[in-house]
Amino acid sequence: MKRQTPAWVAKLHQEGWNVHTFSIAEQIWALLKDDPFMWSLCVTEDKAAPLNWPRTNKALADILTADSGLLKRLEGALQPLEDQQNALLLVTDLEALHPFLRIGAIESQLQGKFHVPTIFLYPGVRTGKTRLKFLGFYPEDGNYRSVHVGG
């Protein structure tokens, strides 16, 4: 999917779409870098117990959800596109959410705020009309409100 993304973006541009991308991986990194205190705390804690992955994962999840950080960034990417003709938001790198949270938790909080077509390049397996298994190994989640395309 990642290798095909530039071709898809080019094709969408050819068809008249004004494509904007929102990389989850880039936004996670930005959230970490934008808060020097939290970043230094994470580094210090990691040095104290480098193999305590559950604690590390929980700390990183807390940073992503604190003050709705990642949610606000996605909403902030959507808002300026509302008045743009043929705007489309392509959300990439969802696998970077593992093991911190799943996109359904963010998507559900943005219900009613998607005023431009938004495509999530979801790394997972479709198990029904509205059910998805994130990364193919998480339990099925039927809470996604979006239309699913592909297998």
Side-chain angles (χ1 to χ4, degrees), residues 7 9 19 21 23 27 30-31 33 40 44 47 50 74 92 97 99 102 112 114 123 126 135 138:
V9 170
V19 180
T21 58
S23 166
Q27 295 302 319
L31 276 167
K33 288 192 326 184
S40 66
T44 301
K47 286 179 182 177
L74 181 53
T92 64
L97 292 172
R102 291 165 42 183
F114 289 99
R126 177 194 250 183
L135 297 174
Y138 275 96

Side-chain angles (χ1 to χ4, degrees), residues 41-42 44-62 100:
L41 182 64
C42 284
T44 301
E45 291 295 319
D46 185 54
K47 286 179 182 177
L51 298 178
N52 190 344
W53 291 110
R55 185 175 77 178
T56 300
N57 291 340
K58 169 120 177 47
L60 291 170
D62 289 346
F100 317 118

